[in-house]
Amino acid sequence: MGTADQGEAAAMWTGSRKTVGAVMAAGAVVAATGCSVLPGPGGTSEATKGASVSASPSSSPSAAPEQPLSARQLKSLLLREGDVPQVESTTEQGPVPRYDPRVLVPGPGCQEVFDALVSHHASTSVIQDFWWRNKQWGGRTWLAAYAGDGASKEFRRLAEGLKTCKTLVGKTPEGRLNSRIDVAKAPGLGDEAVAFDLSMDGPDGTVLSDHHIWVRVGTLTVEFSDRGAERTPGFPLDAVAARQLDRLTRDVRD
C-alpha cells in the first residue's frame, strides 16, 4: 500500500485481501474490507449521475420488480472528498466480493450478525475509506443494495442476532475471528438502525474497540465504522453518518 500506516490499516481491517474481511481477525481490530488491493489515497470514484434510491420495496403486486442498484450507482451515492473536512482523502472499492466459501460463525444469532457485517446477502456493495493526514486510516462506510425486501430482512436478522450473540468467534482466511459485542442505544437514523461496539484485547493489554452504526434506507443498507484509535480530533463518525444519510435520503426524494 505504500506506507506503514496503510499497511497497519490493512492488517487491522483485513485490507489488501482477495475476498471480504470482517470484524476481528489476526488479533487486530477489523471491520471488513474488499478487493485484492486498496486504492491509494485520493482514489476517484467511477461515479455516475442520476442514480436513484427506492424508499421502500414496491408493494404493488402488479408492479415490475425493481432492480437493485449496481456498484457503479452505489459509488455515485458516496460522499465526495471535501464533504468531511477533517479527512485528507478517500478511497473506494467495489463491487466487494463475498466470502466463498461462506465463513461460518457459531453461537446463537452470531452467523446473522457476521453476515450483515460483510453484506453477505446483498446484491452488491461498495466501501469508502477515509484517510487522515500522513495516510492514516480513520473510518469506513459500507453501502449495500438489496433486491426486493432483502434490506429489511437483513436488518431484522441483524437486530435479532444482536439480542443473543455476545462474541464473534471463528476463523476467516485472514486469521482468527474473536470480538466481543456490546450493543449501544439505537440512533434515530434512516428507516431503522442499530449501533454496537466490537472490541478485543490488544497485544499490550489495551482494549481495541470499533464503533458501528448500521442503518437501513429503503432497499439500501449502510454501515459506518471507525477504528476507535485515540486521535485528536477523533474520527467524526456521527458527522459522516449524518452527511451520508442526508445524501441518500435526498436522492430518495428526488
Side-chain angles (χ1 to χ4, degrees):
M1 295 177 62
T3 71
D5 197 75
Q6 284 180 314
E8 181 185 3
M12 295 193 71
W13 288 60
T14 61
S16 248
R17 56 171 255 97
K18 295 179 181 178
T19 53
V20 182
V23 216
M24 301 282 177
V29 177
V30 227
T33 187
C35 295
S36 56
V37 179
L38 287 168
T44 57
S45 167
E46 300 175 18
T48 57
K49 296 183 179 180
S52 61
V53 181
S54 172
S56 61
S58 172
S59 58
S60 171
S62 60
E66 183 171 346
Q67 293 298 311
L69 297 186
S70 67
R72 185 180 291 269
Q73 288 173 312
L74 290 179
K75 284 184 178 182
S76 77
L77 298 172
L78 294 172
L79 295 179
R80 302 291 182 262
E81 288 190 13
D83 286 344
V84 186
Q86 300 94 322
V87 171
E88 185 177 77
S89 62
T90 65
T91 54
E92 298 170 7
Q93 306 174 56
V96 179
R98 294 184 181 89
Y99 272 124
D100 185 16
R102 183 184 188 187
V103 171
L104 301 180
V105 182
C110 293
Q111 187 69 57
E112 289 75 13
V113 172
F114 183 85
D115 286 348
L117 285 172
V118 298
S119 300
H120 179 77
H121 299 288
S123 172
T124 192
S125 66
V126 298
I127 286 172
Q128 181 174 44
D129 285 303
F130 298 91
W131 299 89
W132 297 91
R133 293 179 181 86
N134 301 319
K135 311 303 184 290
Q136 294 180 335
W137 183 86
R140 165 168 296 173
T141 295
W142 193 327
L143 180 61
Y146 291 77
D149 61 353
S152 58
K153 287 180 177 178
E154 186 79 291
F155 180 86
R156 289 195 295 272
R157 287 191 292 262
L158 172 61
E160 288 300 311
L162 288 171
K163 293 178 182 178
T164 54
C165 184
K166 304 304 179 185
T167 307
L168 291 175
V169 177
K171 187 176 181 180
T172 73
E174 302 79 43
R176 186 171 60 93
L177 177 70
N178 185 7
S179 62
R180 298 180 293 272
I181 300 176
D182 295 296
V183 178
K185 182 179 179 181
L189 299 173
D191 294 322
E192 38 194 358
V194 292
F196 51 96
D197 294 327
L198 299 178
S199 62
M200 68 169 291
D201 298 325
D204 57 355
T206 59
V207 176
L208 305 175
S209 182
D210 291 347
H211 187 56
H212 293 251
I213 303 172
W214 204 98
V215 186
R216 181 181 72 84
V217 180
T219 58
L220 303 181
T221 66
V222 56
E223 180 190 358
F224 307 97
S225 53
D226 65 17
R227 176 169 152 186
E230 294 297 329
R231 288 204 184 93
T232 303
F235 182 73
L237 187 65
D238 291 338
V240 169
R243 292 181 184 186
Q244 180 64 78
L245 291 169
D246 179 66
R247 182 172 177 81
L248 294 180
T249 55
R250 211 170 44 236
D251 283 342
V252 170
R253 290 195 299 268
D254 295 344

